Amino acid sequence: MTSLPENKRLAIHGGTPVRHKLLPYGRHSLDSADIDAVVEVLKSDWLTTGPKVEEFEERLAERVGAQHAISFSSGTAALHGTAFAAKLESGDEAITTPLTFCATANCVLYQGASPIFADISPDTLNLDPAKVLEKITPRTKAIFAVDYAGHPAELDKLQALAKNQGALLIEDASHALGAIYKGERIGSIADMTVFSFHPVKHITTGEGGMVTTNDSKLAETLRRFRNHGISSEARQRQEAGQWHYEMVLLGFNYRLTDIACALGISQLEKLDENLRRRRELAAAYTAAFRDLALLEVPAVHKESDPAWHLYPVRLNLETLTATRSEVFQALRAENIGVNVHYVPVHLHPYYRDRFGTKEGDFPVAEDAYERLISLPMFHSMTQQDMRDVIEAIVKVSSHYQLSDAKGERSRLLGARG
Ligand SMILES: *Cc1c(COP(=O)(O)O)cnc(C)c1O
């Protein structure tokens, strides 16, 4: 138990860590059914673009309530597909959030168009529709919303803004497979929705991605784009006994293999259980931390049921004698594998150099970034893992708690110059 003084001493100061083995912030879950499904494909006639691709696409479309699903070799390739299908090109603009993985904005650059950042809402850290409105110009062709941590963006308002402008709403739902917004499933709402099957996401295919849409024109373009721009697939030709094919647009080889799709089909069967566990962990964290003055738990809107890819807390730095970086290191020393999501995209050297973006451009995103720490959140976490995280957070944050909030803070700030 933790009553010994030795256990109160932070591991970073030589005390005993809360746990002996590092708990990662995210991790895939694979079982023997997943492995068998892959082995079966390895023994079959099709390793790529065979029956498993179609089956995975159909099942995912059905799961999220969309008419079409088009698989890609990664979430990033899928994002590139949406930027192409939205007809983004040089001179066009697409509005997106700075608080995301860089791939969301990069896909706009792949098309030669300009990513235009808009600041986020301080509660959910999703795109603020009022800030998006300020950034709309006659050149705006798309809005790329991100469902940060798995909490749906304000899709109704963003869809209305996009429609008004004749632009498309594209949703990067890499965090949000299984999330619900106003009773509707994520994947059936925006003009195009992107999912990722990277191993830290809800379900994995190793690498992989998917676009879902209810628009058959967009679906056709996406299918061609991921296959060199060719208007038919090798399997269709083989089955029809044909050799002739036509390339009708400039695409890429962004295909997902049958091997990967067999894994995806098998993983999808466990999505509900995965979501249930994530929601349970999130509820336990929120109950444990709600009354801690030292941090803020993630906000959840009434009309949303998040998918909890991440559980990001924000430190109330005003009540702490430490910076985020010190708290982060202290939690790592306790063997709690925390992470930070994300370095705001406009602050990456590439964006600074190319677009002249800088600190101060997006104050809400930057303030959040200074405070954010993602706690471990994945399907196979045990109750003991969860208790370790809670214990470590309480241990570390109470160590760094200001006793005399005002005096201590100014003394520290003074001492640091
Ligand atoms: C994971 C992720 C991506 C990229 O997906 P990959 O499958 O790794 O290419 C894009 N956007 C967000 C928000 C992500 O979390």
Side-chain angles (χ1 to χ4, degrees):
M1 292 304 290
T2 57
S3 53
L4 297 171
E6 171 61 14
N7 287 350
K8 292 254 165 151
R9 192 138 60 100
L10 298 189
I12 203 168
H13 298 149
T16 308
V18 165
R19 34 185 300 132
H20 292 286
K21 197 163 166 271
L22 184 76
L23 179 69
Y25 88 92
R27 187 187 151 73
H28 61 269
S29 303
L30 286 187
D31 63 18
S32 59
D34 294 324
I35 293 166
D36 292 347
V38 169
V39 169
E40 193 187 313
V41 170
L42 290 173
K43 294 175 179 167
S44 80
D45 290 340
W46 293 97
L47 297 186
T48 193
T49 322
K52 294 296 177 191
V53 174
E54 233 172 87
E55 187 183 340
F56 184 37
E57 290 175 343
E58 278 167 14
R59 293 213 190 173
L60 193 112
E62 193 186 335
R63 179 62 180 78
V64 304
Q67 283 168 33
H68 311 276
I70 302 91
S71 59
F72 280 82
S73 53
S74 68
T76 302
L79 282 166
H80 188 185
T82 64
F84 179 87
K87 301 196 168 73
L88 284 177
E89 53 188 44
S90 173
D92 294 337
E93 297 175 348
I95 299 172
T96 193
T97 164
L99 197 72
T100 184
F101 183 57
C102 53
T104 319
N106 291 350
C107 74
V108 176
L109 291 172
Y110 296 159
Q111 286 301 113
S114 305
I116 304 295
F117 297 105
D119 212 344
I120 55 178
S121 303
D123 61 345
T124 58
L125 309 183
N126 281 325
L127 264 182
D128 180 344
K131 299 282 172 53
V132 171
L133 177 60
E134 289 171 12
K135 296 296 174 95
I136 288 180
T137 75
R139 299 173 159 203
T140 307
K141 263 206 180 151
I143 298 171
F144 282 82
V146 174
D147 304 316
Y148 178 76
H151 190 297
E154 294 203 51
L155 299 172
D156 276 359
K157 288 181 185 162
L158 295 172
Q159 186 79 71
L161 289 173
K163 236 200 191 104
N164 248 341
Q165 164 58 25
L168 294 184
L169 176 64
I170 300 168
E171 187 182 359
D172 179 346
S174 295
H175 297 183
L177 179 59
I180 305 285
Y181 173 78
K182 297 191 176 174
E184 305 284 332
R185 285 170 281 174
I186 292 300
S188 66
I189 303 167
D191 293 304
M192 290 180 271
T193 305
V194 172
F195 297 102
S196 162
F197 310 125
H198 180 278
V200 296
K201 307 291 162 66
H202 287 76
I203 66 169
T204 190
T205 57
E207 298 279 1
M210 192 81 81
V211 182
T212 61
T213 180
N214 292 325
D215 182 318
S216 52
K217 257 336 256 176
L218 291 172
E220 182 184 69
T221 302
L222 289 160
R223 270 183 213 292
R224 290 172 172 181
F225 183 74
R226 65 127 184 242
N227 187 32
H228 308 279
I230 291 171
S231 57
S232 62
E233 279 175 3
R235 183 157 157 261
Q236 294 170 348
R237 290 195 299 277
Q238 174 161 322
E239 284 172 357
Q242 286 175 352
W243 56 270
H244 183 256
Y245 62 85
E246 288 178 327
M247 181 195 134
V248 294
L249 54 83
L250 186 60
F252 288 78
N253 176 357
Y254 277 159
R255 297 183 303 255
L256 193 58
T257 65
D258 263 44
I259 304 167
C261 288
L263 182 54
I265 294 163
S266 180
Q267 288 263 298
L268 196 53
E269 287 180 17
K270 285 155 286 204
L271 176 61
D272 285 326
E273 170 52 27
N274 187 316
L275 288 163
R276 189 199 60 73
R277 180 61 177 151
R278 286 171 187 268
R279 287 173 175 144
E280 187 175 80
L281 290 166
Y285 279 158
T286 298
F289 302 142
R290 204 194 320 259
D291 299 326
L292 275 190
L294 309 166
L295 57 82
E296 245 176 82
V297 298
V300 177
H301 286 180
K302 275 198 313 294
E303 75 273 15
S304 291
D305 191 3
W308 298 108
H309 163 56
L310 302 172
Y311 190 90
V313 298
R314 268 177 284 173
L315 301 175
N316 284 326
L317 295 171
E318 296 76 5
T319 68
L320 296 171
T321 62
T323 62
R324 187 266 310 275
S325 162
E326 288 163 323
V327 173
F328 183 96
Q329 294 305 335
L331 287 167
R332 280 280 176 155
E334 302 295 339
N335 278 321
I336 304 299
V338 286
N339 211 324
V340 174
H341 298 91
Y342 291 94
V343 177
V345 180
H346 70 285
L347 298 181
H348 283 300
Y350 181 87
Y351 280 84
R352 288 177 189 262
D353 292 351
R354 185 162 166 186
F355 299 103
T357 47
K358 58 187 185 311
E359 275 92 1
D361 286 354
F362 303 100
V364 182
E366 291 166 27
D367 177 74
Y369 167 61
E370 295 297 328
R371 298 163 184 272
L372 278 167
I373 288 189
S374 300
L375 305 186
M377 168 60 77
F378 54 93
H379 171 210
S380 60
M381 266 179 73
T382 65
Q383 290 299 95
Q384 187 57 48
D385 292 338
M386 179 194 81
R387 286 193 290 268
D388 290 345
V389 176
I390 293 170
E391 185 186 332
I393 287 282
V394 171
K395 179 182 175 185
V396 168
S397 59
S398 48
H399 177 87
Y400 289 121
Q401 183 161 25
L402 270 182
S403 41
D404 157 23
K406 240 185 163 170
E408 185 74 354
R409 180 78 183 160
S410 49
R411 186 186 64 73
L412 271 164
L413 289 173
R416 280 185 199 147

mmCIF file of all heavy atoms in Angstrom, residues 73-79 99-105 146-149 172-175 194-201 206-209 309-310 341-342, ligand 1:
data_model
loop_
_atom_site.group_PDB
_atom_site.id
_atom_site.type_symbol
_atom_site.label_atom_id
_atom_site.label_comp_id
_atom_site.label_asym_id
_atom_site.label_seq_id
_atom_site.Cartn_x
_atom_site.Cartn_y
_atom_site.Cartn_z
ATOM 1 N N SER A 73 -4.428 2.714 -47.964
ATOM 2 C CA SER A 73 -3.271 2.098 -47.307
ATOM 3 C C SER A 73 -2.920 2.747 -45.972
ATOM 4 O O SER A 73 -2.152 2.193 -45.197
ATOM 5 C CB SER A 73 -2.064 2.134 -48.249
ATOM 6 O OG SER A 73 -1.859 3.454 -48.708
ATOM 7 N N SER A 74 -3.469 3.932 -45.696
ATOM 8 C CA SER A 74 -3.290 4.580 -44.382
ATOM 9 C C SER A 74 -4.361 5.649 -44.232
ATOM 10 O O SER A 74 -5.013 6.029 -45.218
ATOM 11 C CB SER A 74 -1.897 5.231 -44.268
ATOM 12 O OG SER A 74 -1.798 6.339 -45.146
ATOM 13 N N GLY A 75 -4.507 6.151 -43.026
ATOM 14 C CA GLY A 75 -5.414 7.272 -42.810
ATOM 15 C C GLY A 75 -4.941 8.495 -43.585
ATOM 16 O O GLY A 75 -5.745 9.271 -44.110
ATOM 17 N N THR A 76 -3.638 8.660 -43.672
ATOM 18 C CA THR A 76 -3.064 9.796 -44.400
ATOM 19 C C THR A 76 -3.385 9.706 -45.891
ATOM 20 O O THR A 76 -3.776 10.700 -46.516
ATOM 21 C CB THR A 76 -1.539 9.826 -44.173
ATOM 22 O OG1 THR A 76 -1.309 9.907 -42.766
ATOM 23 C CG2 THR A 76 -0.894 10.996 -44.873
ATOM 24 N N ALA A 77 -3.260 8.499 -46.470
ATOM 25 C CA ALA A 77 -3.623 8.302 -47.881
ATOM 26 C C ALA A 77 -5.118 8.580 -48.076
ATOM 27 O O ALA A 77 -5.531 9.169 -49.085
ATOM 28 C CB ALA A 77 -3.277 6.884 -48.320
ATOM 29 N N ALA A 78 -5.924 8.175 -47.105
ATOM 30 C CA ALA A 78 -7.371 8.422 -47.180
ATOM 31 C C ALA A 78 -7.651 9.934 -47.155
ATOM 32 O O ALA A 78 -8.491 10.433 -47.918
ATOM 33 C CB ALA A 78 -8.081 7.732 -46.016
ATOM 34 N N LEU A 79 -6.929 10.664 -46.299
ATOM 35 C CA LEU A 79 -7.076 12.124 -46.264
ATOM 36 C C LEU A 79 -6.686 12.738 -47.609
ATOM 37 O O LEU A 79 -7.364 13.632 -48.125
ATOM 38 C CB LEU A 79 -6.201 12.721 -45.148
ATOM 39 C CG LEU A 79 -6.750 12.597 -43.728
ATOM 40 C CD1 LEU A 79 -5.657 12.902 -42.702
ATOM 41 C CD2 LEU A 79 -7.938 13.544 -43.520
ATOM 42 N N LEU A 99 -4.884 22.007 -33.758
ATOM 43 C CA LEU A 99 -4.641 20.986 -32.733
ATOM 44 C C LEU A 99 -4.966 19.597 -33.290
ATOM 45 O O LEU A 99 -5.987 18.993 -32.962
ATOM 46 C CB LEU A 99 -5.453 21.254 -31.467
ATOM 47 C CG LEU A 99 -4.937 20.469 -30.253
ATOM 48 C CD1 LEU A 99 -3.612 21.027 -29.757
ATOM 49 C CD2 LEU A 99 -5.951 20.439 -29.125
ATOM 50 N N THR A 100 -4.089 19.120 -34.168
ATOM 51 C CA THR A 100 -4.299 17.817 -34.787
ATOM 52 C C THR A 100 -2.959 17.243 -35.185
ATOM 53 O O THR A 100 -1.921 17.911 -35.104
ATOM 54 C CB THR A 100 -5.213 17.926 -36.022
ATOM 55 O OG1 THR A 100 -5.458 16.605 -36.551
ATOM 56 C CG2 THR A 100 -4.593 18.786 -37.118
ATOM 57 N N PHE A 101 -2.987 15.993 -35.625
ATOM 58 C CA PHE A 101 -1.799 15.393 -36.212
ATOM 59 C C PHE A 101 -1.561 16.090 -37.552
ATOM 60 O O PHE A 101 -2.518 16.407 -38.268
ATOM 61 C CB PHE A 101 -2.028 13.889 -36.393
ATOM 62 C CG PHE A 101 -0.825 13.171 -36.923
ATOM 63 C CD1 PHE A 101 0.379 13.242 -36.249
ATOM 64 C CD2 PHE A 101 -0.901 12.436 -38.090
ATOM 65 C CE1 PHE A 101 1.501 12.591 -36.736
ATOM 66 C CE2 PHE A 101 0.206 11.771 -38.576
ATOM 67 C CZ PHE A 101 1.415 11.849 -37.909
ATOM 68 N N CYS A 102 -0.285 16.312 -37.892
ATOM 69 C CA CYS A 102 0.029 17.141 -39.061
ATOM 70 C C CYS A 102 -0.579 16.625 -40.365
ATOM 71 O O CYS A 102 -0.814 17.405 -41.295
ATOM 72 C CB CYS A 102 1.533 17.317 -39.182
ATOM 73 S SG CYS A 102 2.445 15.764 -39.170
ATOM 74 N N ALA A 103 -0.896 15.318 -40.449
ATOM 75 C CA ALA A 103 -1.438 14.757 -41.693
ATOM 76 C C ALA A 103 -2.735 15.440 -42.125
ATOM 77 O O ALA A 103 -3.017 15.542 -43.325
ATOM 78 C CB ALA A 103 -1.681 13.256 -41.531
ATOM 79 N N THR A 104 -3.532 15.927 -41.160
ATOM 80 C CA THR A 104 -4.808 16.570 -41.510
ATOM 81 C C THR A 104 -4.571 17.785 -42.407
ATOM 82 O O THR A 104 -5.296 18.006 -43.374
ATOM 83 C CB THR A 104 -5.563 17.028 -40.243
ATOM 84 O OG1 THR A 104 -5.462 16.036 -39.225
ATOM 85 C CG2 THR A 104 -7.025 17.316 -40.542
ATOM 86 N N ALA A 105 -3.560 18.563 -42.065
ATOM 87 C CA ALA A 105 -3.265 19.767 -42.856
ATOM 88 C C ALA A 105 -2.384 19.427 -44.064
ATOM 89 O O ALA A 105 -2.537 20.018 -45.140
ATOM 90 C CB ALA A 105 -2.574 20.807 -41.979
ATOM 91 N N VAL A 146 -11.704 17.898 -37.179
ATOM 92 C CA VAL A 146 -11.118 16.739 -36.488
ATOM 93 C C VAL A 146 -11.945 16.486 -35.233
ATOM 94 O O VAL A 146 -12.302 17.429 -34.521
ATOM 95 C CB VAL A 146 -9.643 17.017 -36.107
ATOM 96 C CG1 VAL A 146 -9.075 15.885 -35.249
ATOM 97 C CG2 VAL A 146 -8.800 17.210 -37.360
ATOM 98 N N ASP A 147 -12.268 15.235 -34.966
ATOM 99 C CA ASP A 147 -12.990 14.883 -33.737
ATOM 100 C C ASP A 147 -11.934 14.612 -32.660
ATOM 101 O O ASP A 147 -11.589 13.454 -32.389
ATOM 102 C CB ASP A 147 -13.860 13.647 -33.953
ATOM 103 C CG ASP A 147 -14.837 13.818 -35.113
ATOM 104 O OD1 ASP A 147 -15.457 14.897 -35.206
ATOM 105 O OD2 ASP A 147 -14.980 12.880 -35.917
ATOM 106 N N TYR A 148 -11.435 15.702 -32.063
ATOM 107 C CA TYR A 148 -10.286 15.586 -31.173
ATOM 108 C C TYR A 148 -10.568 14.633 -30.008
ATOM 109 O O TYR A 148 -11.582 14.779 -29.309
ATOM 110 C CB TYR A 148 -9.896 16.974 -30.654
ATOM 111 C CG TYR A 148 -8.731 16.939 -29.690
ATOM 112 C CD1 TYR A 148 -7.427 16.764 -30.151
ATOM 113 C CD2 TYR A 148 -8.935 17.061 -28.327
ATOM 114 C CE1 TYR A 148 -6.354 16.717 -29.275
ATOM 115 C CE2 TYR A 148 -7.873 17.018 -27.437
ATOM 116 C CZ TYR A 148 -6.583 16.834 -27.921
ATOM 117 O OH TYR A 148 -5.535 16.776 -27.048
ATOM 118 N N ALA A 149 -9.664 13.673 -29.811
ATOM 119 C CA ALA A 149 -9.731 12.675 -28.735
ATOM 120 C C ALA A 149 -10.904 11.693 -28.897
ATOM 121 O O ALA A 149 -11.060 10.777 -28.101
ATOM 122 C CB ALA A 149 -9.782 13.332 -27.354
ATOM 123 N N ASP A 172 -12.008 14.396 -40.253
ATOM 124 C CA ASP A 172 -10.927 13.481 -39.883
ATOM 125 C C ASP A 172 -11.358 12.831 -38.572
ATOM 126 O O ASP A 172 -11.212 13.395 -37.491
ATOM 127 C CB ASP A 172 -9.612 14.248 -39.734
ATOM 128 C CG ASP A 172 -8.454 13.331 -39.332
ATOM 129 O OD1 ASP A 172 -8.712 12.186 -38.922
ATOM 130 O OD2 ASP A 172 -7.293 13.781 -39.413
ATOM 131 N N ALA A 173 -11.941 11.638 -38.701
ATOM 132 C CA ALA A 173 -12.479 10.912 -37.540
ATOM 133 C C ALA A 173 -11.526 9.792 -37.138
ATOM 134 O O ALA A 173 -11.957 8.745 -36.645
ATOM 135 C CB ALA A 173 -13.871 10.374 -37.861
ATOM 136 N N SER A 174 -10.238 10.048 -37.329
ATOM 137 C CA SER A 174 -9.226 9.049 -36.935
ATOM 138 C C SER A 174 -9.352 8.671 -35.465
ATOM 139 O O SER A 174 -8.945 7.585 -35.068
ATOM 140 C CB SER A 174 -7.823 9.606 -37.182
ATOM 141 O OG SER A 174 -7.600 9.820 -38.545
ATOM 142 N N HIS A 175 -9.912 9.599 -34.648
ATOM 143 C CA HIS A 175 -10.053 9.329 -33.216
ATOM 144 C C HIS A 175 -11.452 8.830 -32.863
ATOM 145 O O HIS A 175 -11.718 8.575 -31.700
ATOM 146 C CB HIS A 175 -9.838 10.619 -32.405
ATOM 147 C CG HIS A 175 -8.476 11.211 -32.538
ATOM 148 N ND1 HIS A 175 -8.084 12.326 -31.832
ATOM 149 C CD2 HIS A 175 -7.403 10.852 -33.272
ATOM 150 C CE1 HIS A 175 -6.827 12.628 -32.132
ATOM 151 N NE2 HIS A 175 -6.398 11.756 -33.012
ATOM 152 N N VAL A 194 -13.031 10.333 -42.608
ATOM 153 C CA VAL A 194 -11.802 9.535 -42.690
ATOM 154 C C VAL A 194 -11.555 8.805 -41.368
ATOM 155 O O VAL A 194 -11.662 9.402 -40.292
ATOM 156 C CB VAL A 194 -10.589 10.452 -43.002
ATOM 157 C CG1 VAL A 194 -9.270 9.678 -42.897
ATOM 158 C CG2 VAL A 194 -10.746 11.080 -44.382
ATOM 159 N N PHE A 195 -11.210 7.516 -41.476
ATOM 160 C CA PHE A 195 -10.803 6.729 -40.310
ATOM 161 C C PHE A 195 -9.376 6.216 -40.526
ATOM 162 O O PHE A 195 -8.941 6.051 -41.667
ATOM 163 C CB PHE A 195 -11.750 5.536 -40.104
ATOM 164 C CG PHE A 195 -13.164 5.939 -39.819
ATOM 165 C CD1 PHE A 195 -14.136 5.888 -40.817
ATOM 166 C CD2 PHE A 195 -13.529 6.404 -38.563
ATOM 167 C CE1 PHE A 195 -15.451 6.273 -40.560
ATOM 168 C CE2 PHE A 195 -14.840 6.788 -38.300
ATOM 169 C CZ PHE A 195 -15.802 6.727 -39.293
ATOM 170 N N SER A 196 -8.682 5.962 -39.428
ATOM 171 C CA SER A 196 -7.325 5.398 -39.488
ATOM 172 C C SER A 196 -7.310 4.076 -38.728
ATOM 173 O O SER A 196 -7.974 3.945 -37.697
ATOM 174 C CB SER A 196 -6.332 6.368 -38.847
ATOM 175 O OG SER A 196 -5.119 5.695 -38.525
ATOM 176 N N PHE A 197 -6.530 3.138 -39.242
ATOM 177 C CA PHE A 197 -6.382 1.843 -38.558
ATOM 178 C C PHE A 197 -4.942 1.611 -38.115
ATOM 179 O O PHE A 197 -4.446 0.487 -38.090
ATOM 180 C CB PHE A 197 -6.891 0.701 -39.465
ATOM 181 C CG PHE A 197 -8.269 0.969 -40.026
ATOM 182 C CD1 PHE A 197 -8.495 0.925 -41.398
ATOM 183 C CD2 PHE A 197 -9.324 1.299 -39.186
ATOM 184 C CE1 PHE A 197 -9.755 1.195 -41.922
ATOM 185 C CE2 PHE A 197 -10.589 1.569 -39.707
ATOM 186 C CZ PHE A 197 -10.801 1.518 -41.071
ATOM 187 N N HIS A 198 -4.273 2.711 -37.793
ATOM 188 C CA HIS A 198 -2.956 2.619 -37.166
ATOM 189 C C HIS A 198 -3.129 1.890 -35.822
ATOM 190 O O HIS A 198 -4.185 2.010 -35.184
ATOM 191 C CB HIS A 198 -2.416 4.049 -36.971
ATOM 192 C CG HIS A 198 -1.064 4.094 -36.343
ATOM 193 N ND1 HIS A 198 -0.883 3.993 -34.980
ATOM 194 C CD2 HIS A 198 0.158 4.215 -36.884
ATOM 195 C CE1 HIS A 198 0.414 4.049 -34.711
ATOM 196 N NE2 HIS A 198 1.067 4.190 -35.852
ATOM 197 N N PRO A 199 -2.102 1.169 -35.368
ATOM 198 C CA PRO A 199 -2.270 0.362 -34.143
ATOM 199 C C PRO A 199 -2.731 1.102 -32.887
ATOM 200 O O PRO A 199 -3.322 0.473 -32.004
ATOM 201 C CB PRO A 199 -0.877 -0.249 -33.943
ATOM 202 C CG PRO A 199 -0.315 -0.338 -35.320
ATOM 203 C CD PRO A 199 -0.839 0.867 -36.050
ATOM 204 N N VAL A 200 -2.509 2.404 -32.767
ATOM 205 C CA VAL A 200 -3.019 3.065 -31.556
ATOM 206 C C VAL A 200 -4.502 3.408 -31.663
ATOM 207 O O VAL A 200 -5.117 3.782 -30.667
ATOM 208 C CB VAL A 200 -2.255 4.356 -31.152
ATOM 209 C CG1 VAL A 200 -0.825 4.051 -30.796
ATOM 210 C CG2 VAL A 200 -2.369 5.435 -32.191
ATOM 211 N N LYS A 201 -5.096 3.287 -32.839
ATOM 212 C CA LYS A 201 -6.501 3.663 -33.013
ATOM 213 C C LYS A 201 -7.414 2.522 -32.533
ATOM 214 O O LYS A 201 -6.940 1.476 -32.127
ATOM 215 C CB LYS A 201 -6.756 4.029 -34.482
ATOM 216 C CG LYS A 201 -5.780 5.097 -35.018
ATOM 217 C CD LYS A 201 -6.001 6.476 -34.407
ATOM 218 C CE LYS A 201 -4.832 7.434 -34.564
ATOM 219 N NZ LYS A 201 -4.519 7.834 -35.916
ATOM 220 N N GLY A 206 -2.686 -2.815 -39.034
ATOM 221 C CA GLY A 206 -1.253 -2.530 -39.152
ATOM 222 C C GLY A 206 -1.100 -1.085 -39.567
ATOM 223 O O GLY A 206 -0.882 -0.196 -38.745
ATOM 224 N N GLU A 207 -1.191 -0.815 -40.853
ATOM 225 C CA GLU A 207 -1.436 0.509 -41.407
ATOM 226 C C GLU A 207 -2.732 0.394 -42.184
ATOM 227 O O GLU A 207 -3.010 -0.667 -42.751
ATOM 228 C CB GLU A 207 -0.323 0.943 -42.378
ATOM 229 C CG GLU A 207 1.056 1.076 -41.779
ATOM 230 C CD GLU A 207 1.288 2.386 -41.032
ATOM 231 O OE1 GLU A 207 0.360 3.219 -40.945
ATOM 232 O OE2 GLU A 207 2.406 2.549 -40.516
ATOM 233 N N GLY A 208 -3.494 1.459 -42.255
ATOM 234 C CA GLY A 208 -4.708 1.396 -43.062
ATOM 235 C C GLY A 208 -5.611 2.572 -42.780
ATOM 236 O O GLY A 208 -5.459 3.256 -41.759
ATOM 237 N N GLY A 209 -6.519 2.826 -43.708
ATOM 238 C CA GLY A 209 -7.468 3.920 -43.532
ATOM 239 C C GLY A 209 -8.718 3.664 -44.350
ATOM 240 O O GLY A 209 -8.775 2.704 -45.134
ATOM 241 N N HIS A 309 -10.662 7.923 -28.081
ATOM 242 C CA HIS A 309 -9.341 7.476 -28.541
ATOM 243 C C HIS A 309 -8.296 7.912 -27.510
ATOM 244 O O HIS A 309 -7.370 7.169 -27.205
ATOM 245 C CB HIS A 309 -9.043 8.063 -29.920
ATOM 246 C CG HIS A 309 -7.597 8.007 -30.308
ATOM 247 N ND1 HIS A 309 -6.886 6.834 -30.330
ATOM 248 C CD2 HIS A 309 -6.724 8.977 -30.665
ATOM 249 C CE1 HIS A 309 -5.629 7.087 -30.697
ATOM 250 N NE2 HIS A 309 -5.507 8.377 -30.892
ATOM 251 N N LEU A 310 -8.448 9.143 -27.011
ATOM 252 C CA LEU A 310 -7.520 9.689 -26.015
ATOM 253 C C LEU A 310 -8.315 10.143 -24.805
ATOM 254 O O LEU A 310 -9.513 10.414 -24.907
ATOM 255 C CB LEU A 310 -6.799 10.932 -26.573
ATOM 256 C CG LEU A 310 -5.986 10.783 -27.850
ATOM 257 C CD1 LEU A 310 -5.518 12.161 -28.335
ATOM 258 C CD2 LEU A 310 -4.782 9.867 -27.623
ATOM 259 N N HIS A 341 -0.856 15.405 -27.085
ATOM 260 C CA HIS A 341 -1.510 15.518 -28.392
ATOM 261 C C HIS A 341 -2.146 16.889 -28.511
ATOM 262 O O HIS A 341 -3.117 17.142 -27.838
ATOM 263 C CB HIS A 341 -2.586 14.459 -28.556
ATOM 264 C CG HIS A 341 -2.046 13.070 -28.510
ATOM 265 N ND1 HIS A 341 -1.956 12.353 -27.330
ATOM 266 C CD2 HIS A 341 -1.546 12.284 -29.487
ATOM 267 C CE1 HIS A 341 -1.443 11.153 -27.597
ATOM 268 N NE2 HIS A 341 -1.184 11.088 -28.887
ATOM 269 N N TYR A 342 -1.633 17.766 -29.307
ATOM 270 C CA TYR A 342 -0.532 17.639 -30.256
ATOM 271 C C TYR A 342 0.286 18.922 -30.192
ATOM 272 O O TYR A 342 -0.253 19.955 -29.798
ATOM 273 C CB TYR A 342 -1.077 17.532 -31.690
ATOM 274 C CG TYR A 342 -1.806 16.235 -31.985
ATOM 275 C CD1 TYR A 342 -3.179 16.152 -31.839
ATOM 276 C CD2 TYR A 342 -1.100 15.108 -32.419
ATOM 277 C CE1 TYR A 342 -3.851 14.960 -32.117
ATOM 278 C CE2 TYR A 342 -1.777 13.926 -32.710
ATOM 279 C CZ TYR A 342 -3.140 13.855 -32.556
ATOM 280 O OH TYR A 342 -3.796 12.692 -32.825
HETATM 281 C C1 LIG B 1 -3.728 8.722 -36.819
HETATM 282 C C2 LIG B 1 -4.162 9.998 -37.402
HETATM 283 C C3 LIG B 1 -4.008 10.329 -38.755
HETATM 284 C C4 LIG B 1 -3.168 9.519 -39.711
HETATM 285 O O1 LIG B 1 -3.497 8.227 -39.817
HETATM 286 P P1 LIG B 1 -2.416 7.170 -40.365
HETATM 287 O O2 LIG B 1 -3.290 5.968 -40.559
HETATM 288 O O3 LIG B 1 -1.386 6.997 -39.300
HETATM 289 O O4 LIG B 1 -1.864 7.693 -41.631
HETATM 290 C C5 LIG B 1 -4.560 11.496 -39.227
HETATM 291 N N1 LIG B 1 -5.205 12.353 -38.422
HETATM 292 C C6 LIG B 1 -5.342 12.099 -37.105
HETATM 293 C C7 LIG B 1 -6.079 13.085 -36.270
HETATM 294 C C8 LIG B 1 -4.814 10.937 -36.555
HETATM 295 O O5 LIG B 1 -4.935 10.714 -35.245
#
